[in-house]
Amino acid sequence: MGKVRVYQEPDRETRVQIQESVRGKDVFIIQTVSKDVNTTIMELLIMVYACKTSCATSIIGVIPYFPYSKQCKMRKRGSIVSKLLASMMCKAGLTHLITMDLHQKEIQGFFNIPVDNLRASPFLLQYIQEEIPDYRNAVIVAKSPASAKRAQSFAERLRLGIAVIHGEAQDAESDLVDGRHSPPAVRSAAAIHPSLDIPMLIPKEKPPITVVGDVGGRTAVIVDDIIDDVDSFLAAAETLKERGAYKIFVMATHGLLSSDAPRLIEESAIDEVVVTNTIPHEIQKLQCPKIKTVDISMILSEAIRRIHNGPCTFSTRSHLTAAGEELEHQL
């Protein structure tokens, strides 16, 4: 453990003091995202820059949940904030990034440094097999067509069936993703040349809610990468209950659980919410006993060790256990 002091001035400026020499050393900066996400980002950037100006050989950021990852697409007249954050980290001096289950894998392309995007699915799959009674009678559920690929991955590994909820109210992420109306939604005679006949955009119409797949009398396991605003999960749970689901589990890598999410989960038809400890949520667990935690620190520590020591550590393959083989496959 390194010796460093991080605090805020009375005017809310973040100050970092590294209290030992890091010259010529490999520095791993572990930063978990708190509720004050912007302060968390500034702490990370200032600490990275402090190590860079102190002549550290390499600076590896370990950020289990990458903040602003949901803002990775252009919408309306906004911006791709995750690209901005990636540029800031690289400019500050980060030489390598270790993270877990990025909201979109394409975010790795925003960096001009190596990015290790680890997966939490082996730990969640193990939880399903060990903690869900009669999991062979379960069905993996995607709460929207956008998350069907993740649900399919879980279902194929567990040899289970899959169900997809279609027709629910679309969230902002899937609406006008490119940020423009093309073709234009309204025909403007002044803007279009008389000789051109550009077709107008047909407005979307939400179909009625349907569940593609059989969930009657079975345990439904809803899988996703982030659970923050739980409204969509609550709506999916109600739909599954109406279709005859026996029990409902929600599994996600990052449990932000903002605002009154714990209370809503406690009062809902959801039987259990399983998240990893990429984000601290001890307070939420006290508010809602339905929230369970899966520890993924093992794979992060293994990634740190292999990056630092190099592949020579694993020259003797006979000493690797089955768990070690699986971890190496994931890395």
Side-chain angles (χ1 to χ4, degrees):
M1 292 289 291
K3 297 177 181 178
V4 64
R5 186 182 177 209
V6 181
Y7 61 97
Q8 288 187 333
E9 299 281 7
D11 59 355
R12 303 288 293 174
E13 287 187 0
T14 301
R15 186 176 292 273
V16 173
Q17 293 179 350
I18 300 177
Q19 299 177 329
E20 63 178 300
S21 175
V22 297
R23 183 182 297 273
K25 295 184 178 180
D26 296 329
V27 180
F28 291 85
I29 300 177
I30 301 177
Q31 180 67 301
T32 55
V33 177
S34 63
K35 294 301 179 184
D36 192 354
V37 60
N38 297 321
T39 300
T40 299
I41 292 172
M42 284 306 300
E43 288 179 356
L44 174 66
L45 294 175
I46 295 174
M47 191 176 295
V48 169
Y49 188 66
C51 293
K52 177 184 177 181
T53 54
S54 298
C55 301
T57 300
S58 61
I59 307 167
I60 299 94
V62 183
I63 310 173
Y65 169 66
F66 188 76
Y68 286 97
S69 60
K70 290 189 287 187
Q71 298 189 45
C72 60
K73 296 180 181 179
M74 176 70 76
R75 290 196 297 268
K76 298 183 180 178
R77 290 180 175 83
S79 61
I80 306 176
V81 183
S82 56
K83 166 63 176 175
L84 170 64
L85 188 55
S87 301
M88 293 167 63
M89 290 182 180
C90 295
K91 188 66 176 178
L94 207 66
T95 61
H96 198 133
L97 177 66
I98 302 174
T99 186
M100 177 164 283
D101 280 351
L102 289 170
H103 188 57
Q104 296 289 339
K105 293 182 179 179
E106 292 77 8
I107 295 176
Q108 298 174 83
F110 295 161
F111 293 84
N112 55 12
I113 58 174
V115 177
D116 285 327
N117 181 28
L118 307 179
R119 291 181 292 177
S121 56
F123 297 90
L124 298 177
L125 291 170
Q126 183 180 23
Y127 186 93
I128 293 174
Q129 293 173 323
E130 296 179 355
E131 302 296 334
I132 296 182
D134 192 21
Y135 81 94
R136 290 294 182 186
N137 191 39
V139 59
I140 306 299
V141 179
K143 67 180 180 66
S144 67
S147 57
K149 187 175 181 180
R150 181 182 301 272
Q152 181 184 2
S153 176
F154 274 69
E156 289 176 349
R157 285 171 169 78
L158 294 169
R159 277 71 173 173
L160 298 177
I162 184 174
V164 180
I165 300 176
H166 178 61
E168 79 284 359
Q170 298 292 325
D171 55 8
E173 184 174 346
S174 59
D175 225 11
L176 298 176
V177 173
D178 64 350
R180 294 172 294 276
H181 291 287
S182 181
V186 180
R187 190 186 302 277
S188 175
I192 302 177
H193 193 274
S195 62
L196 298 177
D197 188 15
I198 300 177
M200 290 188 296
L201 186 68
I202 299 176
K204 293 181 180 179
E205 183 177 349
K206 301 295 187 296
I209 293 178
T210 57
V211 179
V212 182
D214 181 22
V215 298
R218 307 173 73 179
T219 299
V221 182
I222 305 174
V223 297
D224 212 336
D225 61 329
I226 300 173
I227 176 169
D228 184 12
D229 182 9
V230 297
D231 290 342
S232 60
F233 291 92
L234 300 184
E238 290 295 334
T239 302
L240 293 172
K241 276 294 184 182
E242 293 174 1
R243 300 303 193 278
Y246 174 59
K247 283 188 176 181
I248 299 174
F249 290 78
V250 175
M251 311 201 76
T253 303
H254 309 295
L256 276 69
L257 300 170
S258 302
S259 188
D260 56 349
R263 179 183 61 82
L264 295 174
I265 293 173
E266 185 67 24
E267 299 171 355
S268 70
I270 298 174
D271 293 280
E272 195 168 288
V273 174
V274 183
V275 293
T276 69
N277 56 347
T278 55
I279 298 174
H281 49 265
E282 286 77 12
I283 297 177
Q284 289 88 335
K285 289 181 68 175
L286 294 175
Q287 297 172 348
C288 178
K290 292 182 179 180
I291 300 173
K292 307 297 181 182
T293 306
V294 175
D295 182 22
I296 48 85
S297 58
M298 180 195 305
I299 193 170
L300 290 174
S301 61
E302 187 68 11
I304 293 172
R305 189 172 71 87
R306 296 187 185 193
I307 289 172
H308 181 63
N309 295 333
C312 60
T313 310
F314 295 91
S315 57
T316 309
R317 306 288 291 182
S318 60
H319 294 294
L320 285 175
T321 62
E325 290 279 4
E326 180 63 20
L327 280 175
E328 184 174 7
H329 175 69
Q330 297 301 328
L331 291 170

